[in-house]
Each structure stands twice: as structure tokens, then as C-alpha cells.
Amino acid sequence: MIVLETPSFTIVYTGDYALHDTCLLRKGDSGAIAKADVLIMETTYAEFDHPPRDVVEKEFVSSLEEVLSAGGIVLIPAFAVGRAQEILCVLAKHGVSYPVYVDGMARRANELIAESSDLLRDPRLFEKALDMAQSIEDWDDRKRALSSPGVIVSPAGMLKGGPSEYYMEKLMDDPRNAVFLVSFAIPETPARQVIETGVYSSATKKGIVKARVEWFDFSAHCGRSELEETIRLTKRSASIVLMHGEEGAEQAVYRYATESGRRAYAPSAGEWLEIEL
């Protein structure tokens, strides 16, 4: 979150946020929300709630162990910044005993995030996660990662670009293997196609994915209940500007905000707002 304080008013811009802790990050600052005169907030998932994070983690690790113990390899396509580190922390937290590899831009992101690990929820867990993960540095390392049961965390999270394309092509034909998707997949991306049709398509390969495919909701955003909680946290006099959501999602939050007695705005792209403070 970004908080802009002046002698006469406070503006808070949430960015993508949540009101619950994850393995990697602390929850959003409810104190900042409570003192905002103008709150600019996202509405991405205003139409449903995410499952509890501890439930998602347990299901994820249980499925992971099933595949690994049966001799398979698990590919986890993940966003290089944030999601890859979250997954590494989950693996470390639950003590996954098989080799864990990390590839692509996530390697450099790990290094940069480690430089400011005091900002993380649990710096020691992140350090453990980095110690646990083996960084892929060359093609020999990639071949080694594909030679025995283990976990490969690699961008791109939507299977469009990055080393995850290479791993997908190598792993998709063996039913012992698995592809665990943990990131949002935009329609028409390879990851979304795999989830909806079971078919993978890249510039160099297309076919039915015989490997096990699962999607786990590790979203970094609030769901409906936390967005409504955010509005309840604000002052009655606060002005709330809604953004980053489909029209239906924004309108759902708009209705809740106005019914709660707040001044709410759902501007369209390019629209200017004039707000009296």
C-alpha cells in the first residue's frame, strides 16, 4: 500500500492487497485504511471469496506428495515476483523432502527480495526456502531436474514464455508427472487452455496433457469478504475510489460502499474525478 499524508488529509492507494497473512507477506495495513480520507482500492475478486489459505496449502502439499511418492515430477509455473517466492516458502514450511528447483527470472527475484527480507512476514522461513531450493544455472541443471522425482518452480506462470515452456513440453506426456498451476491465467493463454481443455499449445509443441493438471488458488488479492471488511474499516466520511476490476465486480463493491454510507466512485478509464475533502 502507498499512504500519502498531508496536514489536512490522507490518501491510501491499496494496490493489490489482502487482509490475511500469507507465507511470504504480512496482511495489508488496516490502520492505514482506517485513517484514509480518500481510499483508492482494487476490486479484482469482488464477486467471490478465496478458500482459506491453510486449506489450500494442505491440499497443495498433499497432492504434491502423491505425485512425488509415485515417481513423478511436479512443474509449478509461477509468476517470477511474489508467487514463486510464496510457493518456495510453502514448500519449506511443510518440509517437502524431495529436491526443489527454481529457474528463470525467479532466481534473480529471489536475490533482490532477500536483500530486503526484513519486510517479509517471516524472514527466517524465506531464508530456509532459499537454502532448500536449488537454482538452475544451465542446461545440464535442467536435465538433472528432469531426471528424478522433484519440484520445479519456474516462470512464466501462464506457460507463455520462460523456462516453464521447456519443462511443460518435457513433462506433459507422462501421466506420472503433474503440472500444478498456482497463478491467475488470462483467457487464451496456454495455462488457461490447459485448465479448460487439457490441451497444451506452444510454438514448438501441441497435444493433450497426460500429466496430472491441478489449479490451486494462491491469489494475492482480497476476496469479497475482505473487500467489504475494507469498507467497514474506513471512516464514514471517507471517499472510496474503485479500480482494477471487471464492471460487475466494481459495481458489487460500489453498491456495498454506498449502502454503508460512504461516498463511492467507480470511474471509467481516462475519467477525471474531483473529490471534495
Side-chain angles (χ1 to χ4, degrees):
M1 292 184 180
I2 297 172
V3 181
L4 175 62
E5 294 181 289
T6 78
S8 55
F9 63 87
T10 298
I11 298 176
V12 176
Y13 174 81
T14 68
D16 297 345
Y17 77 111
L19 293 182
H20 62 270
D21 289 335
T22 68
C23 279
L24 187 69
L25 298 174
R26 294 185 293 270
K27 64 183 180 180
D29 185 354
S30 58
I33 293 168
K35 65 183 179 183
D37 295 294
V38 177
L39 175 69
I40 305 168
M41 61 181 286
E42 60 131 319
T43 59
T44 311
Y45 291 107
E47 296 180 293
F48 65 90
D49 277 318
H50 305 292
R53 183 54 64 93
D54 59 340
V55 172
V56 176
E57 287 182 18
K58 289 177 182 177
E59 292 177 349
F60 171 74
V61 172
S62 176
S63 296
L64 197 76
E65 294 286 0
E66 283 181 14
V67 176
L68 295 170
S69 62
I73 298 169
V74 180
L75 170 63
I76 305 177
F79 300 148
V81 179
R83 195 59 45 84
Q85 292 74 35
E86 173 75 16
I87 294 303
L88 292 175
C89 285
V90 170
L91 298 174
K93 174 183 173 181
H94 290 273
V96 173
S97 58
Y98 289 82
V100 175
Y101 303 93
V102 61
D103 203 346
M105 288 193 295
R107 298 169 299 179
R108 179 60 178 142
N110 286 347
E111 295 171 0
L112 292 171
I113 292 170
E115 293 175 5
S116 301
S117 62
D118 58 303
L119 300 175
L120 303 178
R121 187 189 67 80
D122 188 343
R124 290 185 179 179
L125 178 61
F126 185 60
E127 183 178 346
K128 179 181 178 182
L130 295 189
D131 288 342
M132 177 183 183
Q134 301 178 46
S135 184
I136 299 291
E137 302 297 339
D138 53 35
W139 286 103
D140 287 339
D141 288 346
R142 287 182 177 143
K143 292 176 183 177
R144 187 177 76 254
L146 292 168
S147 66
S148 60
V151 182
I152 303 170
V153 180
S154 175
M158 300 188 200
L159 290 171
K160 189 174 179 63
S164 65
E165 283 191 358
Y166 166 79
Y167 292 117
M168 185 66 176
E169 292 178 5
K170 295 295 183 182
L171 296 171
M172 61 183 279
D173 296 324
D174 190 338
R176 294 178 302 171
N177 299 328
V179 183
F180 287 176
L181 296 156
V182 296
S183 304
F184 175 71
I186 294 172
E188 300 182 6
T189 59
R192 186 68 163 261
Q193 185 179 33
V194 168
I195 293 169
E196 294 180 346
T197 69
V199 174
Y200 173 72
S201 179
S202 70
T204 53
K205 185 169 183 175
K206 181 177 182 178
I208 295 173
V209 179
K210 298 177 182 177
R212 175 173 172 175
V213 175
E214 291 192 49
W215 178 78
F216 296 90
D217 189 349
F218 279 96
S219 176
H221 296 261
C222 288
R224 179 179 59 200
S225 296
E226 290 188 352
L227 292 170
E228 292 177 353
E229 181 184 351
T230 299
I231 291 168
R232 292 194 298 271
L233 285 168
T234 62
K235 299 184 291 189
R236 298 281 293 187
S237 59
S239 294
I240 300 174
V241 182
L242 308 173
M243 58 170 290
H244 202 275
E246 299 292 342
E247 183 177 354
E250 284 194 356
Q251 286 303 312
V253 181
Y254 178 85
R255 287 192 298 271
Y256 186 84
T258 54
E259 289 168 1
S260 301
R262 275 66 168 179
R263 287 181 295 173
Y265 305 85
S268 57
E271 181 180 347
W272 285 80
L273 291 179
E274 186 171 325
I275 298 173
E276 290 188 14
L277 297 172

